[in-house]
Amino acid sequence: MRQVEVFVTNVGEVAQANAVTILLRNSFPHYSINFDLEDCDRIMRVESDDIDLVVTAENIQREVGCKPAEIMETISYTIPERVKVKGPARV
C-alpha cells in the first residue's frame, strides 16, 4: 500500500529542492518525491510502499542519538532487497 509522509524543510529554492530530490532518488529510486515551496513550511512529500521504514529509522536515530548516515545506508540497502523478495508493488 502506497504511503505518503510529509516533512517540514528549510529548502527555499527550486535548485535546492532539485538537488535534494536527486540525492534521495539515488538511494531510493522507487520513491516519489516532491516539494511544495509555496507552502509556509516548504514541505517535502515522499510517497512509497516502504516509507514507514525510513520514518522508523529517523525516530530511532532521534531517540538514541546514533548516526543517521549509518541508518540511511542500511535502509537504502534493505528496501531494494525487500522489493526483490516481495516483488513489484500491487495497486
Side-chain angles (χ1 to χ4, degrees):
M1 172 191 255
R2 298 292 280 182
Q3 301 169 354
V4 176
E5 193 69 32
V6 177
F7 300 90
V8 174
T9 75
N10 63 354
V11 173
E13 299 177 11
V14 173
Q16 291 175 312
N18 290 340
V20 170
T21 301
I22 289 168
L23 288 172
L24 288 172
R25 285 193 178 140
N26 285 338
S27 293
F28 307 103
H30 59 286
Y31 280 23
S32 173
I33 302 165
N34 65 65
F35 282 83
D36 183 352
L37 301 180
E38 293 179 13
D39 184 272
C40 64
D41 291 322
R42 303 176 190 164
I43 62 171
M44 176 181 70
R45 289 183 198 87
V46 181
E47 183 178 354
S48 172
D49 294 325
D50 300 306
I51 190 65
D52 56 326
L53 293 175
V54 175
V55 172
T56 300
E58 181 180 304
N59 290 337
I60 291 169
Q61 180 271 324
R62 284 184 182 157
E63 288 184 29
V64 300
C66 59
K67 297 180 181 175
E70 292 174 6
I71 291 175
M72 296 311 286
E73 183 177 334
T74 301
I75 292 291
S76 68
Y77 171 78
T78 302
I79 290 173
E81 291 301 311
R82 181 176 171 187
V83 169
K84 287 180 193 175
V85 171
K86 288 176 66 176
R90 289 173 234 162
V91 180

